[in-house]
Amino acid sequence: MSTLQLTEILLAAGCLLVLAWLALILVRRRRIGALGPIALCAVRLPGRPRWRLGLLRLGPEGLGWFSVTGVTTRPRLLWPRDDLEISTPQDEQVSVPGLERPVAISLHGPAGHLADLAVERQVYFTVRSWLESAPPGHGVNVA
């Protein structure tokens, strides 16, 4: 086998690997979005200085955060809807690649400060509306 043939085989295998990875990302994103609206966001956990880019899903049970590059369809972080409170956008200047003019909001629960989220302003209003609406099944028999 010549060097040229070996190079062609390696390049073809590399292209197939890239195509398979892109297909996996597309299928994963569709499965994540099947259970609720998703948006691009970044999360910063308490005590950590770095923002991590990911997908935020507004599900019936709570807010779920997924890593952009993972393969699982389960959220890495899940904040229950019943106990969740969000702050108004903070004045902090946030710079996250991939997000256009993001605003930072804090998530609070019964245990205190849970995390900070960086989302685009339209997404903030969506999350605020989702949180203030009644959770599914709560208060359905109110007279």
Side-chain angles (χ1 to χ4, degrees), residues 31 105 113:
R31 291 200 55 198
I105 56 176
H113 183 249

Side-chain angles (χ1 to χ4, degrees), residues 8-131:
E8 288 175 348
I9 290 171
L10 289 176
L11 283 175
C15 287
L16 286 176
L17 215 65
V18 168
L19 287 174
W21 181 254
L22 290 174
L24 177 70
I25 289 173
L26 179 67
V27 168
R28 177 180 177 258
R29 185 166 179 163
R30 288 184 152 257
R31 291 200 55 198
I32 290 171
L35 296 176
I38 59 172
L40 195 60
C41 77
V43 68
R44 181 175 61 189
L45 297 174
R48 304 226 176 125
R50 189 170 80 96
W51 291 96
R52 294 185 57 208
L53 195 61
L55 297 171
L56 183 69
R57 180 176 67 195
L58 308 175
E61 70 280 348
L63 279 178
W65 183 84
F66 301 83
S67 174
V68 171
T69 58
V71 293
T72 181
T73 57
R74 290 186 183 180
R76 280 222 182 140
L77 300 170
L78 182 64
W79 300 288
R81 185 178 190 171
D82 292 338
D83 301 326
L84 190 63
E85 294 178 13
I86 62 172
S87 68
T88 57
Q90 300 166 2
D91 293 332
E92 173 186 1
Q93 293 292 339
V94 179
S95 176
V96 179
L99 293 177
E100 188 177 325
R101 295 190 328 247
V103 295
I105 56 176
S106 294
L107 301 178
H108 298 278
H113 183 249
L114 302 172
D116 294 320
L117 282 182
V119 295
E120 293 179 1
R121 186 163 291 279
Q122 319 73 295
V123 175
Y124 164 72
F125 292 119
T126 303
V127 172
R128 170 70 67 190
S129 298
W130 169 84
L131 187 60

